Amino acid sequence: MTTTAAIRLTPRIAVVMVLSAFLGIVAFFWPFVVAPGKFGSNYAPPLIFGVLLVLVLCVVLSEIAEGGIDSKALAMLGVLSAVNAALRPLGAGTAGIETVFFVLVLAGRVYGPGFGFTLGCTSLFASALITGGVGPWMPYQMFGCAFVGMLAGFLPRATGRREVLMLAVYGSLSGYLFGFLLNLSFWPFSLDPNSSIAYLPGLPFTEQWQRYIAFDIATSLGWDTGRAVTNFVCILLAGPAVLTTFRRAARKARFRAPVRFAEPRTADSEPT
């Protein structure tokens, strides 16, 4: 079944999103680019890249708001952001259970990659304000969720049970991907440098990569598995009903439908 793009991706917005995705990848993989202490403090690189992510997100959202979103899509974005912000505290912090992702995946699937990207940003921002989770990690979480929602909008066409199963598998994989990316932001500071899986500046990329893979498996695999299982189960069980609801709302909203103004009726044109 085709998606109903709630946010129009103009060529300009598409270019900005591609550039932001590139900068986001650089920001996540900074341990392989910049060694801690290069900017005068061991904690300066994640803070600098965090500020960079905030600026990039502001640019993307401003471009979308300027020409790619209408009032109906904005209202839908506000409602789903509030829903995700309310759902997240129900599971966050318990065995890796995250209840925010399945709505993000389904909304990105139905309303398109631009909507999924924006919803990922606004959901995590609203959730952080509600739960007091504002900190240097927040831009990374926002960008990670933006990737999850955006990629859901690019999934291939499918219908019925095949579509739900595809989304469930994607939701499970995105749970691991989100944890893999977020761990990169604090890996250099989380272990004793003498550990065999700790970040060690100056090592070749291949050895550094092997250390990070071992670190991710040893410290985060269980947590990420809880998130992946939650996504899979929620999408498998609630996916059909939520997809139907989202698509019905999209048909009624008729996003980006042209507005036509009828000429006012005069006394001469009224029937006798």
Side-chain angles (χ1 to χ4, degrees):
M1 185 174 291
T2 59
T3 60
T4 304
I7 294 179
R8 181 169 55 93
L9 290 183
T10 64
R12 179 175 172 177
I13 294 176
V15 170
V16 171
M17 289 185 65
V18 170
L19 293 177
S20 68
F22 172 76
L23 292 176
I25 292 175
V26 172
F28 276 112
F29 284 83
W30 73 262
F32 300 100
V33 180
V34 180
K38 287 284 186 171
F39 297 104
S41 170
N42 285 341
Y43 297 96
L47 294 176
I48 292 174
F49 283 115
V51 172
L52 175 63
L53 286 181
V54 171
L55 295 176
V56 170
L57 289 174
C58 288
V59 171
V60 176
L61 295 179
S62 65
E63 286 290 336
I64 291 175
E66 182 179 349
I69 187 169
D70 60 14
S71 58
K72 292 174 288 188
L74 187 62
M76 179 66 71
L77 179 65
V79 170
L80 293 183
S81 298
V83 169
N84 266 348
L87 285 175
R88 194 180 183 207
L90 299 179
T94 306
I97 297 174
E98 292 276 3
T99 51
V100 70
F101 284 90
F102 85 96
V103 174
L104 178 60
V105 170
L106 297 176
R109 169 66 173 178
V110 174
Y111 299 128
F115 189 92
F117 184 95
T118 309
L119 180 62
C121 296
T122 55
S123 295
L124 264 292
F125 181 74
S127 174
L129 294 180
I130 292 175
T131 60
V134 178
W137 56 84
M138 187 180 71
Y140 294 93
Q141 292 179 336
M142 292 172 61
F143 222 98
C145 282
F147 275 130
V148 171
M150 179 182 68
L151 293 177
F154 288 118
L155 292 175
R157 293 184 179 183
T159 57
R161 294 181 179 179
R162 182 178 298 179
E163 180 185 33
V164 175
L165 181 60
M166 177 186 68
L167 292 174
V169 172
Y170 169 74
S172 181
L173 295 177
S174 66
Y176 286 108
L177 175 62
F178 182 82
F180 183 86
L181 291 177
L182 265 294
N183 289 339
L184 283 168
S185 63
F186 63 85
W187 170 48
F189 319 114
S190 58
L191 294 175
D192 186 337
N194 295 322
S195 172
S196 61
I197 60 175
Y199 175 79
L200 192 60
L203 288 181
F205 175 82
T206 53
E207 187 173 348
Q208 201 80 275
W209 182 256
Q210 292 174 359
R211 282 173 170 254
Y212 178 69
I213 295 297
F215 167 82
D216 185 68
I217 293 175
T219 63
S220 185
L221 182 61
W223 188 276
D224 294 342
T225 299
R227 183 188 300 112
V229 171
T230 303
N231 293 347
F232 186 88
V233 172
C234 288
I235 294 175
L236 205 61
L237 296 180
V242 175
L243 287 172
T244 301
T245 301
F246 283 171
R247 285 178 171 136
R248 184 181 297 117
R251 287 194 297 269
K252 291 184 177 180
R254 297 182 63 202
F255 297 116
R256 304 195 320 272
V259 178
R260 295 184 176 88
F261 296 95
E263 294 184 2
R265 300 180 64 179
T266 63
D268 296 337
S269 61
E270 293 182 357
T272 58

